[in-house]
Amino acid sequence: MMTRHALQRCQERGLRTFFVQTILDQADVDEPAGDNCRRLRVSSKRARHLNIDDSLARYALIWSDDSARVVTVLPITRRVRSSSNLRRNRGGRRRG
């Protein structure tokens, strides 16, 4: 069900296999992740509705359709624009 890599990441992050199984069972967001893998996660709205664990919506799983196993478990973080994009999108006088 889980690769060694996924088990190691769970151990590093203090996540139990029950938590990972809950994400697998309750995931309502399924996005392609490349290499015949999918990113599965529980949305914040569904996590609140389930009322199982506060951190349920803070983690995602990478699931391999080829091996039918969890490849890794990762925290969901907000994307931060790089400083070059911020500079480009600030407006004002253009150089060049």
Side-chain angles (χ1 to χ4, degrees):
M1 174 178 140
M2 293 176 68
T3 63
R4 278 189 305 203
H5 177 79
L7 289 170
Q8 181 181 355
R9 293 296 175 253
C10 285
Q11 185 178 12
E12 290 171 356
R13 294 178 173 117
L15 304 175
R16 299 180 186 266
T17 54
F18 173 77
F19 184 81
V20 173
Q21 187 62 47
T22 303
I23 293 175
L24 277 173
D25 294 340
Q26 302 297 330
D28 60 337
V29 180
D30 185 342
E31 304 164 325
D35 289 336
N36 208 19
C37 291
R38 298 180 292 152
R39 185 175 90 154
L40 303 173
R41 66 182 181 89
V42 177
S43 66
S44 297
K45 184 177 180 179
R46 182 156 174 86
R48 280 192 305 272
H49 176 73
L50 292 170
N51 198 24
I52 297 172
D53 189 337
D54 291 342
S55 60
L56 197 59
R58 294 186 193 140
Y59 288 90
L61 309 176
I62 302 297
W63 174 264
S64 171
D65 287 328
D66 290 338
S67 64
R69 295 193 301 175
V70 175
V71 176
T72 193
V73 181
L74 57 145
I76 297 173
T77 58
R78 292 189 314 159
R79 289 186 179 181
V80 178
R81 286 194 212 173
S82 69
S83 61
S84 62
N85 284 340
L86 289 175
R87 237 180 275 120
R88 192 175 324 128
N89 293 328
R90 261 194 326 206
R93 190 177 133 215
R94 292 186 181 199
R95 297 180 189 179

